[in-house]
Amino acid sequence: MKNRIFLYLFIFTGLICLYLFVSSGKMAEANYTTIQKLKEEVKSLNDSLQDARLKVLEMQYFSLENNDDALAYYDHLEIKNPSAYISDKLLETNESKGDNPLVPYEGMQNDFKINKIKVLNHKWILADFSDGKYWGELLIKYELKDDLGVDFTLIDHLLYTRSN
């Protein structure tokens, strides 16, 4: 009787070992395929990140922050961030009651106000304006004076039409 219990116990232990051996092999294979998929995904994401970095560098080409020649015009003024200073001065034109004085259109829904600003160099600004429903863009010439005043002159404008 004792011999049979040991025999059954030995067979049962052998079956458990066999099951663990087979399942660990399958688990290792599944882990390997998962690791390979994740490596491919990481490679793809690294490529996408590199593409995004190149696009950002391309977009920054026309910006005051990355144009040393244009920044040289403001060295004597000792402004830490001329682009932010000029943007703030342009946004101050929104504070007037009614439409922004630089926008040559009357607001249809609300007053037209400047939203986004891109300081291209030491002379030009590209700005976006909107009244909440209608929007457009402005090309503005500016001059930063020695007394830190800024004069803005509208060069061109565009109002987008709504398509239904």
Side-chain angles (χ1 to χ4, degrees):
M1 185 73 176
K2 253 185 174 179
N3 289 340
R4 286 198 172 182
I5 290 178
F6 284 124
L7 180 65
Y8 291 137
L9 186 60
F10 179 72
I11 292 172
F12 182 70
T13 306
L15 288 175
I16 290 177
C17 289
L18 182 64
Y19 170 76
L20 290 176
F21 177 74
V22 170
S23 66
S24 68
K26 288 182 180 179
M27 187 171 27
E29 185 178 321
N31 286 342
Y32 179 76
T33 57
T34 303
I35 289 170
Q36 293 305 317
K37 286 179 185 176
L38 289 174
K39 282 182 180 179
E40 290 174 13
E41 186 176 345
V42 165
K43 185 176 186 254
S44 170
L45 290 174
N46 282 334
D47 292 343
S48 298
L49 182 60
Q50 184 65 24
D51 290 344
R53 285 180 180 153
L54 291 173
K55 284 180 184 178
V56 166
L57 285 174
E58 184 70 26
M59 288 177 12
Q60 288 178 343
Y61 182 79
F62 287 107
S63 70
L64 180 62
E65 295 90 6
N66 295 321
N67 189 338
D68 291 333
D69 296 328
L71 284 173
Y73 282 86
Y74 303 126
D75 284 343
H76 67 284
L77 297 177
E78 297 179 6
I79 299 175
K80 291 186 185 207
N81 189 348
S83 183
Y85 180 79
I86 294 162
S87 296
D88 289 343
K89 288 292 186 181
L90 184 57
L91 286 174
E92 285 177 8
T93 61
N94 279 342
E95 294 174 2
S96 64
K97 189 170 182 147
D99 291 321
N100 187 302
L102 291 170
V103 178
Y105 304 103
E106 288 186 26
M108 292 163 253
Q109 292 291 109
N110 294 312
D111 296 329
F112 275 123
K113 299 293 183 183
I114 293 177
N115 301 319
K116 293 184 180 181
I117 299 167
K118 175 73 171 176
V119 181
L120 299 176
N121 56 24
H122 64 288
K123 291 290 179 190
W124 299 318
I125 297 173
L126 192 59
D128 169 74
F129 65 91
S130 175
D131 68 351
K133 184 174 182 183
Y134 299 95
W135 67 98
E137 294 174 353
L138 305 170
L139 181 60
I140 301 170
K141 180 180 179 181
Y142 74 95
E143 181 182 353
L144 180 59
K145 299 179 181 178
D146 289 340
D147 64 352
L148 297 181
V150 184
D151 288 336
F152 298 106
T153 307
L154 181 64
I155 296 175
D156 205 359
H157 52 86
L158 167 71
L159 183 65
Y160 291 104
T161 58
R162 293 194 57 90
S163 58
N164 292 332

